Every structure is written in C-alpha cells, then in structure tokens.
Amino acid sequence: MSLEDYGGGQGPQSDVLVVTTNDVPGHRVERVIGEVFGLTVRSRHLGSQIGAGLKSLVGGELKGLTKTLVETRNQAMERLVEQARARGADAVLAFRFDVTDAADVGTEVCAYGTAVVLARE
C-alpha cells in the first residue's frame, strides 16, 4: 500500500482551513457560522468481509478495510469543507470524526466542527 492508501487530510492549497484546535495562531475568530458536518455511510462488499474474516484468524492489518475507511473519512471531510465553503466560512475549528456502525450493514463516518470566518491579528 502506498502512502495515499492509508493517509488523509487536507492539501496545502485548500481555501477552507480545517484544524482540530479551538483557535489558529495569529488569527482571531471574526464570526462564528456554526456547526458543519460531512456524512457518509459505506458498506463493505462480500469479498472484503470474507477476506477480513480470514485475515482476522491469523492476525495482521486488514489492508482492504483500512483503505476503505481512509477513503470514507476523506469523503466525509470533503463534504464538511463543501458545506463550510457554501456557508461562507474560511475555516473549521475543533474538527473531529465520529465513526459508528450503521444498522449492521455499513459504517457511518461523520466529520464535524465549527465553521468560522478568521481575521489576521
């Protein structure tokens, strides 16, 4: 697996800054827009579930599931950024992920945070 298969996050050219912190050094929050989120639910295909079951017997990383979860998180984050941009934000503070099982048919991934407009100090 390459780095792109198991990594994520924003690229350096994004017009909406997303951070896990409550503030950004050198900036102040000019306006709070409110909560934004990006949500996606993914199911695993049968081959992936069988392969994961077999792999769990011998141990080791479930690479197919890892790749799927990374893709799912990245999609949820992209949706969060789209929502923040559409509401006029240039940053999302206190960014987090929430991951849950969705009725035993898939995995729900929600990316959420607080959309704001920042100003340089």
Side-chain angles (χ1 to χ4, degrees):
M1 284 174 61
S2 70
L3 183 61
E4 292 80 31
D5 290 336
Y6 60 89
Q10 278 189 300
Q13 304 302 324
S14 181
D15 60 330
V16 176
L17 177 66
V18 179
V19 296
T20 59
T21 57
N22 294 325
D23 52 24
V24 176
H27 295 79
R28 65 178 168 74
V29 174
E30 186 172 274
R31 183 168 50 105
V32 174
I33 295 172
E35 179 190 8
V36 289
F37 66 90
L39 181 69
T40 186
V41 178
R42 294 270 181 105
S43 65
R44 294 187 301 255
H45 61 79
L46 184 59
S48 173
Q49 288 177 316
I50 292 171
L54 294 172
K55 182 70 172 183
S56 68
L57 294 174
V58 297
E61 181 180 7
L62 305 173
K63 292 181 180 182
L65 294 179
T66 299
K67 184 176 179 181
T68 298
L69 187 53
V70 167
E71 290 169 354
T72 304
R73 283 178 170 234
N74 287 341
Q75 183 179 48
M77 187 172 181
E78 288 168 9
R79 291 178 178 178
L80 165 103
V81 169
E82 288 172 11
Q83 188 182 64
R85 184 183 299 116
R87 295 180 64 192
D90 63 3
V92 176
L93 304 180
F95 170 73
R96 303 287 188 270
F97 282 113
D98 186 39
V99 180
T100 58
D101 284 330
D104 295 329
V105 296
T107 302
E108 171 190 324
V109 175
C110 182
Y112 64 95
T114 303
V116 299
V117 174
L118 295 177
R120 284 207 173 269
E121 292 184 330

